[in-house]
Amino acid sequence: MRSRPLMSLRLSTAHTQDIGAGPRGSRVTFPITGGSFEGERLRGKVLPSGDDWTLKRPDGVVELDLRITLETDDGALIHMTFEGVRDDGPPGGSYFRTVSRFETANAKYSFLNRLLAVGSGQIRADGPLHVIEEIL
Amino acid sequence: MDSRFLMSLQIIVAGAQKIGAVPHGTRVTAPIASGHFEGPRLQGKVLPGGADWTLLRGDGVLELDLRVTLETDDGALIHMTSFGLRHGPPGVIGALARGESVDPSTYYFRTTPRFETGHPKYTFLNRLVAVSRGDRRPEGPIYTIDEIL
């Protein structure tokens, strides 16, 4: 697979909402209070009020389901979603990967409507960081 | 980003169901008749009964939404879903629509497969994210699927 850097996405989250054990696993929702993104082709901030709806499955894998709005530094709004998995199980390192999609009406950024992207995530002291690459 | 080959998946589609113009675009559903897959860690056949639900958006991008069941040669059933995008220059997309063979490097056809299985030998599939490159042949697509490492 060939890919190229799209952006680094930093998220800040509020207190989690621990929904608890549901029929499909343990649900925890992370409200997104803000953040920033930076890449060669786009940069800006994450608007508050998105969330990452996570589900910890009985096999230990956490499924992620994120919806946020990005605002570029020149004022374009971008609807972003990703799905992914986080698996802290394997010895030698956690597996934390996502698949992102974007929607925007701004012509400058319409290339985002036409691509799929993969991300590598990590949890840092100041919140999650996702390094996202366009699938070429 | 690092990846490694997971499998090549060839899907044979049956007659398309042209649903037509719907609120989000033009919808065509392609039932899956058969197929097969092959990679170093799994191989087998595609069971009939799945479909690829496609939507041609107003901006000319085709969204694909595939659901199929794979059966490995040692009898495991694997539920596979795959969302994808396909687009390209009008001449290339027109040739695809006419059923011609087209060099897949001339258009963008990428998908993101996900897997679910209950078979212990293949549970690694439950825990990974994958991407694929598609090659739309007249009889159906061939996907080269890589695991994201």
Side-chain angles (χ1 to χ4, degrees), chain A residues 1 3 57 59 61 63 83 85 87 95 97 99 101 113-116 118-120 131 133 135-136, chain B residues 1 3 57 59 61 63 83-85 87 108 110-112 114 126-129 131 133 146 148-149:
Chain A
M1 182 202 70
S3 59
R57 309 186 313 212
D59 66 355
V61 172
E63 295 184 351
E83 294 184 353
V85 299
D87 183 1
Y95 183 81
R97 300 289 181 271
V99 174
R101 295 179 54 199
N113 295 330
R114 309 168 78 87
L115 61 80
L116 294 174
V118 292
S120 175
V131 177
E133 300 191 356
I135 300 170
L136 295 176
Chain B
M1 198 160 296
S3 61
R57 307 189 316 211
D59 65 353
V61 174
E63 293 188 352
F83 178 85
L85 298 177
H87 56 82
Y108 189 86
R110 302 289 184 269
T111 76
T112 51
R114 302 283 306 276
N126 295 332
R127 312 175 86 91
L128 61 80
V129 170
V131 300
R133 299 186 307 279
D146 288 346
I148 303 292
L149 295 177

Side-chain angles (χ1 to χ4, degrees), chain B residues 44-58:
Chain B
K45 65 184 179 185
V46 178
L47 297 186
D52 197 349
W53 287 267
T54 74
L55 178 74
L56 181 61
R57 307 189 316 211

Side-chain angles (χ1 to χ4, degrees), chain A residues 80-100:
Chain A
M80 172 178 180
T81 63
F82 73 48
E83 294 184 353
V85 299
R86 199 178 90 216
D87 183 1
D88 294 327
S94 159
Y95 183 81
F96 188 2
R97 300 289 181 271
T98 62
V99 174
S100 296

Side-chain angles (χ1 to χ4, degrees), chain A residues 3-9 37-43 80 100 102 111-112 115-118 130-135:
Chain A
S3 59
R4 69 166 160 163
L6 184 63
M7 62 175 166
S8 292
L9 171 68
F37 60 97
E38 171 92 38
E40 256 182 40
R41 290 171 282 171
L42 68 169
R43 61 196 59 78
M80 172 178 180
S100 296
F102 305 92
F111 69 94
L112 293 169
L115 61 80
L116 294 174
V118 292
H130 296 276
V131 177
I132 298 173
E133 300 191 356
E134 170 186 7
I135 300 170

